């Protein structure tokens, strides 16, 4: 496998250039190793890897890499009849993700971000809108009382 080298410059030993070089080397290597995919597939995959790492660092703060999912699922286990298949239930589950993030940050000694607090506020407002739009004849969300189903 032939690796194209980036022309060196005076600053080629700086950390940011090394990271760029490694990124470009990884991209080129993957494209050469897997040449039969869509031309932008590797670029998109590397962007997703970068976003995943950035988000995961924020959501885990060095803890369990799937911690947010595990904690939210543990919360939901307390509500066996929770109407998770209703729009309101889905909105609450989405909101729990952000609520867990705030709680985890605080547990790790980090102040909640304004972005996460605003996300929670938005879901509260969405839930209020859903309730206003729900026809009164619709009644409360249907809850399955049979635990075997």
């Amino acid at each position: 496998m032939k690796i194209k080298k980036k022309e060196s410059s005076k600053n080629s030993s700086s950390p940011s250039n090394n990271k760029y070089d490694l990124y470009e080397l990884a991209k080129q290597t993957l494209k050469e190793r897997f040449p039969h995919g869509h031309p932008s597939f590797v670029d998109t995959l590397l962007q997703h890897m970068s976003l995943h790492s950035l988000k995961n660092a924020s959501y885990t703060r060095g803890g369990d890499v799937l911690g947010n999912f595990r904690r939210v699922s543990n919360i939901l286990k307390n509500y066996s009849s929770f109407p998770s298949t209703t729009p309101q239930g889905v909105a609450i589950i989405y909101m729990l993700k952000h609520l867990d993030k705030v709680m985890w940050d605080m547990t790790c000694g980090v102040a909640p971000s304004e972005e996460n607090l605003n996300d929670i506020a938005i879901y509260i407002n969405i839930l209020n809108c859903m309730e206003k739009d729900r026809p009164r004849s619709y009644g409360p969300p249907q809850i399955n009382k049979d635990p075997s189903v």
Side-chain angles (χ1 to χ4, degrees):
M1 173 172 66
K2 206 173 191 181
I3 303 296
K4 296 177 191 172
K5 284 191 170 183
K6 183 179 164 189
E7 288 188 31
S8 61
S9 66
K10 292 178 185 176
N11 296 328
S12 65
S13 63
S14 72
S16 62
N17 284 340
N18 284 339
K19 287 180 183 176
Y20 176 79
D21 290 344
L22 289 174
Y23 177 86
E24 289 301 316
L25 177 61
K27 183 167 72 170
Q28 180 181 341
T29 302
L30 288 168
K31 285 183 176 185
E32 289 176 5
R33 176 67 177 89
F34 306 103
H36 304 294
H38 189 278
S40 65
F41 185 84
V42 169
D43 293 318
T44 303
L45 185 62
L46 288 170
Q47 289 169 7
H48 288 170
M49 290 171 68
S50 177
L51 180 62
H52 169 70
S53 181
L54 179 69
K55 293 281 191 176
N56 208 38
S58 174
Y59 273 91
T60 65
R61 302 233 176 258
D64 181 358
V65 295
L66 298 175
N68 181 254
F69 299 101
R70 295 183 208 282
R71 290 186 301 271
V72 170
S73 72
N74 284 330
I75 291 168
L76 291 170
K77 286 177 187 174
N78 292 305
Y79 305 96
S80 61
S81 297
F82 181 76
S84 60
T85 59
T86 65
Q88 293 90 340
V90 171
I92 289 170
I93 291 170
Y94 286 7
M95 183 181 64
L96 279 174
K97 170 190 164 199
H98 298 286
L99 183 59
D100 172 74
K101 170 74 167 72
V102 167
M103 293 171 70
W104 187 249
D105 282 350
M106 293 173 74
T107 300
C108 294
V110 177
S113 73
E114 185 176 345
E115 179 182 4
N116 285 122
L117 294 173
N118 287 333
D119 287 335
I120 293 167
I122 288 168
Y123 282 107
I124 294 293
N125 284 308
I126 290 170
L127 284 162
N128 280 325
C129 292
M130 287 177 174
E131 285 303 305
K132 288 177 183 169
D133 286 351
R134 187 169 52 126
R136 293 297 150 215
S137 61
Y138 175 73
Q142 296 299 311
I143 298 173
N144 184 357
K145 301 283 185 187
D146 182 2
S148 67
V149 178

